[in-house]
Amino acid sequence: MHHSWIIHIAKYLHVGSFSVAFGAQFWHYFLASPHIRSILSVGKLGELQRGLFDRLYILSTVSGLISICTYFQINCDRDRTELFLLFLNLFCNATSMTYISPNVSQLSLRRNNIKDTYATTPDPDRYLVDSKYIAFNRSFMWMHRAGIAVSMISIATQATYLGFLTKRHSLH
C-alpha cells in the first residue's frame, strides 16, 4: 500500500505524543513535586510551580491533540472507550491550562498580597483574621483541590489508555 509510510509515521507520532504527555505528568506529579516540596519554602514552591504548571499543561494539551489526530489516522475501527479516554484527558489538560491554573495563580497572588501588607505591622499574623485573606485563601484551596483532582483524572485516563495502547498497537 502506498500510504503505509503515513500510517507508520502516525503510529510513531501517536505513541510519541502520548508518551511525552504521560511521562511529563508522571514525572512532575510523582517524582519532582514530592522532592521539590521537601526542599523549598511554600513561597518559592509557588513561584516555581506557576511556571512549571503552565508549561506542563501546554505540553499535555498539544500532545493530547496530536494523540487524537493520529488516533483517527491509525484506527479504522474506532473504539469509543479509547476515544473517550483521549478526549477526557484532553479536556482535563485544557481545563487546567485555561481555567484552573490561571485562577490558582491569581488567587495565590491576591492572598499573598494581603499577607504582605501585614508583614511590617506590629502584629504580622493579623492577616489570618482579615476577611479578604480568608475569602481568597478559601477560594484558593478549593481551586487548588480541583486542580489536583483534574490532574489525577488526567493521569488515570492516561494509565488506562496505556493499557489499551499496549494491547492494540504495534509499531511494526
Side-chain angles (χ1 to χ4, degrees):
M1 176 178 221
H2 66 284
H3 292 294
S4 66
W5 64 274
I6 294 173
I7 300 299
H8 284 294
I9 290 172
K11 283 182 181 183
Y12 283 108
L13 278 172
H14 184 75
V15 171
S17 64
F18 173 81
S19 299
V20 165
F22 185 63
Q25 287 186 346
F26 189 87
W27 179 85
H28 179 80
Y29 294 121
F30 299 111
L31 301 174
S33 284
H35 178 68
I36 291 170
R37 287 179 193 280
S38 70
I39 60 174
L40 291 180
S41 67
V42 174
K44 293 289 183 191
L45 177 66
E47 289 175 26
L48 175 66
Q49 288 205 336
R50 268 191 285 281
L52 290 177
F53 277 118
D54 291 343
R55 288 172 181 83
L56 177 66
Y57 295 139
I58 290 168
L59 174 72
S60 298
T61 300
V62 170
S63 294
L65 285 169
I66 293 169
S67 291
I68 289 170
C69 290
T70 55
Y71 181 86
F72 285 110
Q73 295 298 313
I74 62 176
N75 289 301
C76 296
D77 58 334
R78 293 176 178 86
D79 184 293
R80 289 179 188 219
T81 304
E82 290 179 19
L83 278 172
F84 172 77
L85 292 169
L86 289 173
F87 277 106
L88 179 58
N89 182 55
L90 177 63
F91 175 77
C92 288
N93 289 310
T95 300
S96 293
M97 180 181 73
T98 60
Y99 183 74
I100 294 173
S101 185
N103 279 300
V104 166
S105 294
Q106 189 63 251
L107 290 165
S108 176
L109 289 172
R110 294 177 85 179
R111 177 187 69 170
N112 290 342
N113 286 340
I114 293 170
K115 182 179 176 180
D116 291 344
T117 62
Y118 288 98
T120 58
T121 65
D123 186 9
D125 291 334
R126 184 143 172 81
Y127 71 90
L128 293 170
V129 294
D130 184 299
S131 61
K132 288 182 183 178
Y133 176 85
I134 293 169
F136 285 132
N137 191 52
R138 185 175 294 128
S139 296
F140 168 82
M141 294 305 290
W142 278 106
M143 190 62 66
H144 188 263
R145 288 178 187 132
I148 292 169
V150 169
S151 295
M152 292 304 107
I153 291 169
S154 175
I155 288 284
T157 62
Q158 289 175 331
T160 305
Y161 184 72
L162 181 61
F164 283 104
L165 191 64
T166 57
K167 287 180 186 175
R168 289 179 50 89
H169 302 294
S170 169
L171 295 176
H172 302 352

